[in-house]
Amino acid sequence: MARQVLLFISLLAVGSVLGQVSYTIPEEMIKGSLVGNIAQDLGLQIKRLTSGKARIYARDTDQYVELNRERGVLLVKERIDREALCKQTTPCALHFQIILENPMEFYTVTVQITDINDNAPTFKKTKITFKISETALIGAKFVLERAVDLDVEINSVQSYELKPSENFALKLHSNSDGNKNVEMVLQKPLDREKQEQISLVLTAVDGGEPQMSGTMQILITVLDVNDNAPIFTQQTYKATVTENSPKGTVVATVTASDADQGSNSKIIYSITNEADDDTRVFEINEENGNVVLIGIIDFEKSRNYQINLLASDEGGLTDSCKLIVDVQDVNDNKPEINIMSKSTVISEDANLNTVVTMINIEDKDSGENGKVQCFMSDNVPFELRASSNNFYTLVTDSDLDRERASEYNITVTCSDEGVPSLSSSVTLTLQISDVNDNAPVFERSSYEAYIVENNTPSLSIFTVKATDADWNQNARVSYILEDSSVNGVPVSSYVSVSADSGVIHAVRSFDYEQIKDFHFRVKAQDGGSPPLSSNVTVKIMIQDQNDNPPQVLYPVQTGGSLVAEMVPRSADVGYLVTKVVAVDVDSGQNAWLSYKLQKATDRALFEVGLQNGEIRTIRQVTDKDAVKQRLTVIVEDNGQPSRSATVVVSVAVADSFPEVLSEFTELTHDKEYNDNLTFYLVLALAVVSFLFITCLVVIISVKIYRWRQSRILYHSNLPVIPYYPPRYSDTLGTGTLPHVYNYDVCRTTDSRKSDCKFGRAGSQNVLIMDPSSTGTMQRIQSEKSILDEPESPLEVSPSVVKKNK
């Protein structure tokens, strides 16, 4: 089997490769026969056909050729009958495309089908009859039916033979279309008296190998007289008809005349086309010669028709002519949009000019009616490009952003240039897949939150919120507390952040007196790969509570000695006795202090300043006033609820020390009271110690008992369930002021003014975290008495009396 291969390759502007390969094969090849090595002829690797999912795309539904990817060859899929496929059209060819993906490419393949001599010539009628007058002149012509051979070229009808050939001879006339008109010519006068009936056999022979033939019988009846044959006014008639014309339309009228008279001049018209298709489309009126349309004319199926007409009289004389009917095209076919290959999903980071879809456009009309222009919907980041004749590619022409548009419905409309114009459209749905290109964004650039001190641990403070414009896993936000420290302590010991919700919880109870505010950063991280993140600064401000009572700094309350303020009896109204000094470590209105006189030996003698705590006389001191005066002053803050502290101020009304000392010796009963109090305290301490030792012995006994039980269970091979005592968290109170202060008090003997000099703190607070514990805070307080500097000598005012008890 001979096969011809032609290969043409050209490059497309959009990156797709367009090639053309031609093969020539004979018809009637068996199924599975080799058409051609397409991989070799296109210069492709076998693995490229497999990875690219190579396939055949044909416009027609029937596929006669299939692609074997593993071998890279084209094979015959179905038996090919050239006559059924192309009829008389030459050359006869199959046209299809081979489509590859990743990247998208297509190649055009043409398979030309050559004819073999598989059809014998046939006549439409196996027998025809002629009535010929015996007066017929030598040279009279009688048109015979041509034989039909479905094969073409050399395999079609090549010659005719008429036997016997005594009275008649054959004459062939070649037409412009390549066909031959067969005429039977009288070459010897007829004599009805000698032979009334003549039987002839017409044989048609083709030129194939092997040679094939067909026959038709001709019966001739010899008549008398009629010696004039009909004559058409034209040998060739031409007419034009528009496709889709209604049935009954008169296409043309032919006319023939006969010089005879009477019945011999009566002419009958007929169509002698050997093709059945033509006789189904047209018919002729036997009497008037009107050629009428009886079928449907479609320009796309046949653009012209040639009708062979015959005029015969009753004497058997005939004449022939032909009618050529040209069909005019009308715009009756919409453009057909064929999706050759398409992608339904494209990544938003796809490069420019990425091929999304390949489209083939076909309009069966011709001329302007068959010219097609395609366009697509506006405002989409895609472009429709014409890659070759009636082939288009849809490519990206700008950057894609799924957050701006996650799906595109692209409408492609194709219109022809006919009048009126016809159009077709197709909608392509394209999903944009997400990539992680957006970091989480917090709702605010920074956050501030307030929390009241003495809160419970795990209290929810507030929530940070971040959003991610991406989708699915790329938009899943997790919150992370960034590592930092507050006053040398990791911020994670102050607050925690819920990874899923962004809720910030307090890890510990805050003390406003220790820390008033602190900063930290929260990071929001998405679930993409690689993950993107952003952070925000959070400021937590502690709000004060009235949780600290006022602390009296002066006068100092000691248990072992008695301090009294001395007031001379000559003191006037408003004499400054002393000043109660107190502080409150809270802030704001919680630290506003007020002083009130709660108890007094003589309320009519002294008063306390509400704001400054100064104790002054409110009347003149007299001799009747008692030497020993006892004042109880209450100091209150302005918080809600209010907290307070009391201080007892002893005042001695006397002009000299001996008088004061003699008066205060009566206070020995106070010492006895203190001794009794000490006894009870020692007794209580002994009871508590005894209870503690008892509990300790019980706990040790229980531990030993449980240990022995576990040993018994171990030796008895029984399962042991360990007991884990709960772990307790103990948070000790942390004060804000030291317990012991030293003061220097300097006073004059008769001045109404006082000067208080405050010494530095005499204690040092140390905060120790036990590494072995899980939350127990130990507070160690060491107290150290601090004396004044050497250069500041201690002055003892005669108005100050210190007595040890």
Side-chain angles (χ1 to χ4, degrees):
M1 176 185 63
R3 202 168 51 249
Q4 300 177 352
V5 180
L6 299 176
L7 175 63
F8 304 92
I9 298 178
S10 61
L11 296 179
L12 290 178
V14 295
S16 302
V17 177
L18 175 63
Q20 180 173 333
V21 181
S22 296
Y23 297 97
T24 301
I25 63 173
E27 64 172 329
E28 303 296 338
M29 293 179 65
I30 63 174
K31 182 178 179 180
S33 299
L34 177 66
V35 176
N37 192 327
I38 188 67
Q40 178 180 349
D41 296 336
L42 291 177
L44 298 175
Q45 300 290 333
I46 299 298
K47 62 180 180 180
R48 172 61 180 133
L49 296 178
T50 305
S51 63
K53 299 179 181 179
R55 68 181 189 276
I56 292 178
Y57 168 79
R59 297 176 183 174
D60 298 329
T61 57
D62 296 329
Q63 289 190 7
Y64 296 94
V65 178
E66 64 180 357
L67 173 64
N68 188 313
R69 296 179 188 169
E70 288 74 19
R71 297 170 54 195
V73 295
L74 295 176
L75 304 175
V76 175
K77 183 178 180 182
E78 298 291 341
R79 185 184 68 86
I80 303 175
D81 187 355
R82 194 207 66 82
E83 289 74 26
L85 183 64
C86 300
K87 296 184 180 180
Q88 296 296 313
T89 303
T90 57
C92 179
L94 297 174
H95 301 279
F96 54 89
Q97 287 77 36
I98 293 181
I99 306 297
L100 293 92
E101 297 180 356
N102 300 321
M104 292 184 181
E105 300 174 329
F106 72 94
Y107 301 88
T108 299
V109 179
T110 301
V111 178
Q112 184 171 344
I113 311 301
T114 59
D115 184 43
I116 63 175
N117 192 26
D118 58 342
N119 292 281
T122 58
F123 290 90
K124 185 178 180 182
K125 299 178 181 179
T126 58
K127 182 171 63 176
I128 61 172
T129 302
F130 287 95
K131 294 180 180 180
I132 304 175
S133 175
E134 64 176 350
T135 58
L137 300 176
I138 296 176
K141 297 180 293 182
F142 302 91
V143 178
L144 302 179
E145 177 185 352
R146 289 184 298 178
V148 176
D149 194 336
L150 297 179
D151 296 325
V152 295
E153 298 178 349
I154 191 63
N155 295 323
S156 63
V157 177
Q158 298 297 316
S159 62
Y160 291 86
E161 182 179 8
L162 183 64
K163 291 183 180 181
S165 58
E166 295 179 0
N167 298 96
F168 296 91
L170 283 179
K171 188 175 182 181
L172 302 179
H173 297 281
S174 297
N175 295 330
S176 59
D177 58 358
N179 294 322
K180 296 180 180 180
N181 289 334
V182 182
E183 294 180 345
M184 184 175 63
V185 181
L186 183 62
Q187 65 179 0
K188 180 180 179 181
L190 298 177
D191 188 354
R192 188 188 64 81
E193 286 74 19
K194 289 183 179 181
Q195 190 176 7
E196 185 176 1
Q197 296 289 335
I198 301 175
S199 178
L200 304 176
V201 176
L202 179 62
T203 302
V205 182
D206 61 21
E209 290 293 334
Q211 197 174 58
M212 305 180 76
S213 63
T215 60
M216 179 180 67
Q217 185 179 10
I218 303 174
L219 297 178
I220 300 174
T221 301
V222 181
L223 302 177
D224 284 334
V225 182
N226 189 24
D227 55 353
N228 289 290
I231 299 175
F232 282 101
T233 56
Q234 299 179 34
Q235 287 298 309
T236 302
Y237 292 86
K238 291 186 178 181
T240 302
V241 64
T242 303
E243 70 169 325
N244 300 327
S245 294
K247 295 179 181 179
T249 300
V250 177
V251 177
T253 300
V254 296
T255 304
S257 60
D258 194 318
D260 292 326
Q261 294 181 350
S263 60
N264 291 329
S265 63
K266 186 178 180 179
I267 300 174
I268 299 175
Y269 299 94
S270 62
I271 297 176
T272 62
N273 280 43
E274 63 275 7
D276 293 337
D277 292 342
D278 295 340
T279 58
R280 293 176 185 156
V281 178
F282 303 96
E283 72 175 3
I284 190 170
N285 190 302
E286 294 182 351
E287 297 180 355
N288 57 24
N290 290 337
V291 179
V292 180
L293 185 65
I294 62 172
I296 298 175
I297 290 182
D298 190 350
F299 177 83
E300 287 70 43
K301 293 183 178 179
S302 181
R303 300 189 178 188
N304 56 66
Y305 294 89
Q306 180 175 314
I307 306 173
N308 296 319
L309 302 176
L310 181 66
S312 59
D313 58 21
E314 291 187 354
L317 299 179
T318 62
D319 192 13
S320 63
C321 71
K322 62 182 178 181
L323 172 63
I324 298 176
V325 180
D326 293 324
V327 181
Q328 287 185 339
D329 183 37
V330 296
N331 192 24
D332 59 343
N333 291 280
K334 293 182 179 180
E336 296 180 4
I337 303 176
N338 302 307
I339 306 300
M340 299 171 58
S341 183
K342 69 175 181 179
S343 300
T344 57
V345 178
I346 185 173
S347 175
E348 64 175 323
D349 61 350
N351 297 327
L352 295 180
N353 298 324
T354 298
V355 179
V356 177
T357 303
M358 287 185 177
I359 301 174
N360 170 244
I361 311 300
E362 181 182 6
D363 194 320
K364 294 181 179 179
D365 294 322
S366 62
E368 297 297 324
N369 297 331
K371 293 182 179 180
V372 179
Q373 296 293 331
C374 294
F375 56 91
M376 57 180 288
S377 50
D378 298 331
N379 301 323
V380 292
F382 301 95
E383 181 183 4
L384 191 64
R385 297 180 182 176
S387 56
S388 63
N389 186 24
N390 293 334
F391 286 92
Y392 290 85
T393 54
L394 183 66
V395 300
T396 58
D397 70 339
S398 62
D399 294 332
L400 303 177
D401 189 355
R402 192 207 65 83
E403 290 70 41
R404 187 169 60 240
S406 61
E407 179 181 282
Y408 289 95
N409 291 319
I410 306 168
T411 301
V412 178
T413 303
C414 297
S415 302
D416 58 29
E417 297 183 6
V419 179
S421 176
L422 299 178
S423 63
S424 299
S425 62
V426 63
T427 299
L428 306 173
T429 300
L430 188 61
Q431 302 285 341
I432 308 301
S433 62
D434 185 47
V435 296
N436 191 28
D437 57 349
N438 289 278
V441 178
F442 284 95
E443 294 178 345
R444 297 165 59 183
S445 58
S446 63
Y447 291 87
E448 288 186 357
Y450 296 85
I451 183 172
V452 180
E453 67 171 333
N454 301 321
N455 59 286
T456 59
S458 76
L459 176 68
S460 173
I461 303 177
F462 75 109
T463 302
V464 295
K465 180 68 174 179
T467 57
D468 195 311
D470 291 321
W471 181 75
N472 204 1
Q473 184 67 25
N474 295 332
R476 187 172 298 171
V477 179
S478 299
Y479 301 92
I480 303 171
L481 181 65
E482 291 190 351
D483 294 335
S484 62
S485 61
V486 178
N487 297 331
V489 179
V491 71
S492 59
S493 64
Y494 286 86
V495 292
S496 64
V497 179
S498 174
D500 296 328
S501 62
V503 177
I504 296 180
H505 297 272
V507 174
R508 62 167 62 179
S509 179
F510 296 109
D511 188 354
Y512 176 83
E513 287 71 40
Q514 288 185 348
I515 181 170
K516 294 179 172 56
D517 60 69
F518 60 94
H519 300 77
F520 59 91
R521 297 181 70 84
V522 175
K523 179 170 70 173
Q525 179 174 290
D526 59 28
S529 180
L532 301 179
S533 63
S534 62
N535 50 38
V536 69
T537 300
V538 179
K539 181 179 181 181
I540 303 295
M541 288 174 282
I542 314 300
Q543 291 183 330
D544 184 40
Q545 267 189 338
N546 191 27
D547 57 343
N548 293 283
Q551 295 185 4
V552 179
L553 304 181
Y554 185 85
V556 179
Q557 301 296 298
T558 61
S561 63
L562 179 65
V563 179
E565 302 292 340
M566 185 171 177
V567 178
R569 293 186 178 276
S570 61
D572 296 332
V573 176
Y575 179 83
L576 178 62
V577 179
T578 187
K579 182 177 182 179
V580 177
V581 180
V583 295
D584 194 319
V585 295
D586 292 324
S587 64
Q589 66 178 6
N590 296 328
W592 297 350
L593 301 180
S594 61
Y595 302 85
K596 296 178 183 179
L597 185 61
Q598 187 180 32
K599 294 180 183 179
T601 305
D602 188 356
R603 279 185 173 274
L605 182 58
F606 301 100
E607 69 175 358
V608 179
L610 181 64
Q611 302 298 331
N612 53 22
E614 293 179 350
I615 301 176
R616 293 179 182 272
T617 60
I618 58 177
R619 64 174 175 82
Q620 182 70 39
V621 179
T622 64
D623 295 337
K624 296 180 180 181
D625 293 326
V627 175
K628 182 180 68 175
Q629 297 286 336
R630 184 181 179 89
L631 307 178
T632 301
V633 179
I634 183 170
V635 184
E636 293 182 343
D637 59 26
N638 199 34
Q640 294 294 331
S642 176
R643 292 178 177 268
S644 63
T646 59
V647 60
V648 177
V649 180
S650 297
V651 178
V653 180
D655 291 328
S656 62
F657 285 109
E659 183 180 357
V660 173
L661 293 175
S662 63
E663 184 66 25
F664 276 83
T665 55
E666 300 176 0
L667 299 178
T668 56
H669 65 280
D670 291 339
K671 183 177 182 303
E672 296 176 357
Y673 168 78
N674 291 334
D675 292 338
N676 294 333
L677 180 61
T678 302
F679 170 77
Y680 290 122
L681 290 176
V682 172
L683 180 61
L685 179 61
V687 171
V688 171
S689 300
F690 173 76
L691 293 176
F692 173 76
I693 294 173
T694 302
C695 292
L696 187 61
V697 171
V698 170
I699 292 173
I700 294 174
S701 300
V702 171
K703 289 289 186 179
I704 294 174
Y705 173 78
R706 288 184 177 177
W707 177 78
R708 294 187 63 187
Q709 289 295 107
S710 64
R711 296 295 297 175
I712 294 173
L713 293 175
Y714 174 79
H715 290 292
S716 62
N717 295 326
L718 294 177
V720 179
I721 302 176
Y723 170 75
Y724 298 96
R727 308 179 77 180
Y728 295 91
S729 174
D730 183 20
T731 303
L732 297 177
T734 56
T736 56
L737 289 174
H739 291 176
V740 179
Y741 291 80
N742 294 332
Y743 303 92
D744 286 339
V745 181
C746 301
R747 293 182 57 83
T748 60
T749 58
D750 58 350
S751 175
R752 296 182 181 179
K753 299 181 181 180
S754 64
D755 182 17
C756 296
K757 179 179 180 183
F758 300 100
R760 61 181 178 270
S763 65
Q764 183 176 3
N765 295 332
V766 179
L767 185 64
I768 299 177
M769 175 65 73
D770 187 358
S772 63
S773 66
T774 59
T776 302
M777 304 293 295
Q778 296 181 352
R779 181 180 179 88
I780 301 176
Q781 184 178 47
S782 61
E783 298 184 354
K784 180 180 180 182
S785 300
I786 307 297
L787 296 177
D788 291 334
E789 292 78 357
E791 61 271 20
S792 300
L794 179 66
E795 297 182 10
V796 179
S797 174
S799 62
V800 179
V801 178
K802 180 179 293 186
K803 182 178 181 180
N804 296 326
K805 291 187 178 181

